[in-house]
Amino acid sequence: MNDFVDDETTRVPAEARGVRILSVELVVIDGPDKGLRAPVHGGVARIGTSEGNDLRLTDRMASRVHCELRVKPSSIIVRDAGSTNGTSCEGVRIHDGEVAAGAIIRIGSSSIRIEVGDEPAFVEVSSSERFGELVGTSFEMRRVYAMLERIAAGDATVLVQGETGTGKDVVARSIHGASKRRDAPFVPLDCGAVPENLFESELFGHVRGAFSGAVGDRKGVIEEADGGTLFLDEIGELPLGMQAKLLRAIETRSVRRVGANMARPVDVRIVAATNRPLGRAVNDGTFREDLYYRLAVVEVALPPLRARREDIPMLAAHFHRALGGQGELPQAFLAMLAQRSFPGNVRELKNFVERAMLLGTIAPSPKRAPITATKDLADLAPLHLPLKEARQAWTESFEQVYVRAVLERAKGNVTHAAELAGVSRRFLQRLAARLGIKASDVGADPQDLDEDG
């Protein structure tokens, strides 16, 4: 049967195996819904007035998607979803923070106690170190793998949420690759890159003469993905008017090209992704609530790299091999990676490893020569990156080349190199350490280049 999504929301149950987590139940102790209770299944619960929430309130002071609660092996995290009146605990407003067992959170005019049972609950985790293109052994990632392993074989629509650079596109490709649709098309569309006046044609296609410039019939991305998977990246950027049309297409399992009289049936699985909290967009009125719940049949939350730092060495080695590197990464390089914050998440880590290989900081691919200060500048331009990321990459590349060159010119004398660069000795030492430049690389005394020396 042609089908965009399952008719009912699919909940992936946590079975009595895997990792123990706190057994939590939400109890409304004050407000219009006093006495209402809701257990937290699978370690995640959403609270608000909308129908799709785990704890649905009738409190007029609460937002449609008010806040989210996540249970970890030894902690409970409450995250406000951009609610109108906020979420607080013991008089302190919470945006994203840990609360204690038995804590009472205030939502609108309601008070909700977080009760923790004596018997633990269990959340399923995978025993695998990867799923498709995803790599990592952390609890957070193995929890994601377990969910993806369960849902990949079906046709349920998936909403992937996570910060920029966490790998939402990788999740989409990995789901497709593990599904029965793997031999059919995988069609991505970046909703943030489509001009608003072209959205309808891009999604649904058009017929000849439908508008100026429509010189022939053209399929939209939904038709292109027929039988396969459509990946709608940055779905939060979809204009409000187009959201209604997409919802109609999902519900009717058909598309009508711009200018056409007849609709065409389609069989497409949708994976949507966003770095914007869609619950907040629903509260703001910039995203339709009904479309949100249609897309969030199964919701996957990708953790930022800072929440899975133990995966950094494995990820770095994976990227090193994928980019043609040989041998193991130096321990000093891995130690340097462990000290970086990587606000750009996994994508930034990949770019950092690639730059290090290009610059010769770590063993490059046999096909690539280390960059030197005399190398043609055009070869340094990271044209595969957007301007903002390219600018940052260029700056780091320049720092690598400059610091190496000035130390070599000073014959390893850090004091002289700092004078040539017009910076303090300590600044140069710290910069060299951050860039992973070894004393042996530039002829310097190890104690002289060590800022603690």
Side-chain angles (χ1 to χ4, degrees), residues 247-327:
L247 178 62
R248 188 179 307 116
I250 292 174
E251 291 177 338
T252 61
R253 307 176 184 107
S254 65
V255 295
R256 189 173 71 177
R257 295 181 183 179
V258 178
N261 296 321
M262 300 289 292
R264 300 164 182 258
V266 286
D267 172 22
V268 175
R269 181 184 200 170
I270 292 181
V271 178
T274 179
N275 63 2
R276 294 174 54 193
L278 281 194
R280 180 171 301 176
V282 169
N283 292 333
D284 292 343
T286 58
F287 202 86
R288 290 179 64 105
E289 181 181 339
D290 47 5
L291 178 58
Y292 171 49
Y293 287 114
R294 266 296 190 177
L295 294 174
V297 174
V298 175
E299 201 165 353
V300 177
L302 273 184
L305 191 55
R306 62 181 175 274
R308 47 178 297 217
R309 297 193 65 83
E310 61 267 43
D311 288 336
I312 289 177
M314 185 177 184
L315 284 165
H318 170 73
F319 294 138
H320 183 235
R321 288 191 299 270
L323 294 166
Q326 298 179 334

Side-chain angles (χ1 to χ4, degrees), residues 168-441:
K168 298 181 290 295
D169 57 329
V170 178
V171 171
R173 291 196 302 271
S174 298
I175 290 174
H176 177 74
S179 74
K180 60 186 178 184
R181 299 173 179 266
R182 67 178 68 88
D183 296 325
F186 174 82
V187 180
L189 175 67
D190 184 351
C191 297
V194 180
E196 187 168 351
N197 63 325
L198 297 180
F199 252 115
E200 188 168 8
S201 174
E202 194 70 27
L203 280 174
F204 307 117
H206 61 255
V207 298
R208 180 180 179 182
F211 49 83
S212 177
V215 296
D217 292 357
R218 178 183 179 276
K219 290 182 178 180
V221 291
I222 297 177
E223 274 192 84
E224 287 180 14
D226 193 19
T229 303
L230 174 64
F231 174 46
L232 297 175
D233 197 10
E234 300 305 341
I235 189 67
E237 303 302 321
L238 191 66
L240 201 57
M242 286 306 305
Q243 292 175 25
K245 295 180 179 181
L246 176 60
L247 178 62
R248 188 179 307 116
I250 292 174
E251 291 177 338
T252 61
R253 307 176 184 107
S254 65
V255 295
R256 189 173 71 177
R257 295 181 183 179
V258 178
N261 296 321
M262 300 289 292
R264 300 164 182 258
V266 286
D267 172 22
V268 175
R269 181 184 200 170
I270 292 181
V271 178
T274 179
N275 63 2
R276 294 174 54 193
L278 281 194
R280 180 171 301 176
V282 169
N283 292 333
D284 292 343
T286 58
F287 202 86
R288 290 179 64 105
E289 181 181 339
D290 47 5
L291 178 58
Y292 171 49
Y293 287 114
R294 266 296 190 177
L295 294 174
V297 174
V298 175
E299 201 165 353
V300 177
L302 273 184
L305 191 55
R306 62 181 175 274
R308 47 178 297 217
R309 297 193 65 83
E310 61 267 43
D311 288 336
I312 289 177
M314 185 177 184
L315 284 165
H318 170 73
F319 294 138
H320 183 235
R321 288 191 299 270
L323 294 166
Q326 298 179 334
E328 295 184 357
L329 290 172
Q331 288 301 312
F333 180 76
L334 293 176
M336 182 264 294
L337 292 181
Q339 300 302 313
R340 294 181 65 91
S341 60
F342 292 110
N345 294 299
V346 179
R347 182 187 299 157
E348 183 182 351
L349 173 61
K350 179 179 183 294
N351 292 340
F352 188 88
V353 172
E354 185 174 9
R355 286 195 297 273
M357 294 174 68
L358 285 168
L359 295 167
T361 305
I362 55 177
S365 163
K367 298 179 182 179
R368 295 172 174 169
I371 292 176
T372 65
T374 59
K375 193 170 181 64
D376 186 71
L377 289 178
D379 293 338
L380 288 170
L383 300 177
H384 62 292
L385 297 176
L387 176 62
K388 184 177 179 180
E389 294 180 20
R391 184 183 293 116
Q392 181 181 351
W394 180 280
T395 299
E396 293 197 15
S397 297
F398 169 76
E399 288 177 345
Q400 279 273 3
V401 172
Y402 184 90
V403 172
R404 285 175 181 274
V406 77
L407 283 166
E408 289 171 358
R409 183 176 178 182
K411 298 181 180 180
N413 185 311
V414 178
T415 301
H416 182 41
E419 291 173 352
L420 291 173
V423 297
S424 70
R425 172 188 169 91
R426 181 170 293 276
F427 178 88
L428 187 63
Q429 289 172 325
R430 288 175 175 172
L431 182 58
R434 180 172 66 80
L435 296 171
I437 295 175
K438 299 179 181 178
S440 58
D441 295 338

Side-chain angles (χ1 to χ4, degrees), residues 34-91:
K34 184 176 180 179
L36 186 64
R37 310 175 74 95
V40 178
H41 295 289
V44 180
R46 195 183 292 115
I47 306 171
T49 60
S50 293
E51 185 176 348
N53 288 292
D54 300 275
L55 179 62
R56 186 184 182 190
L57 303 174
T58 61
D59 188 344
R60 295 171 63 88
M61 299 292 290
S63 296
R64 287 175 287 182
V65 182
H66 198 103
C67 66
E68 181 183 82
L69 183 140
R70 287 188 170 270
V71 183
K72 298 189 175 185
S74 59
S75 63
I76 302 169
I77 307 296
V78 173
R79 179 179 296 122
D80 186 81
S83 62
T84 302
N85 295 314
T87 304
S88 62
C89 180
E90 296 182 0

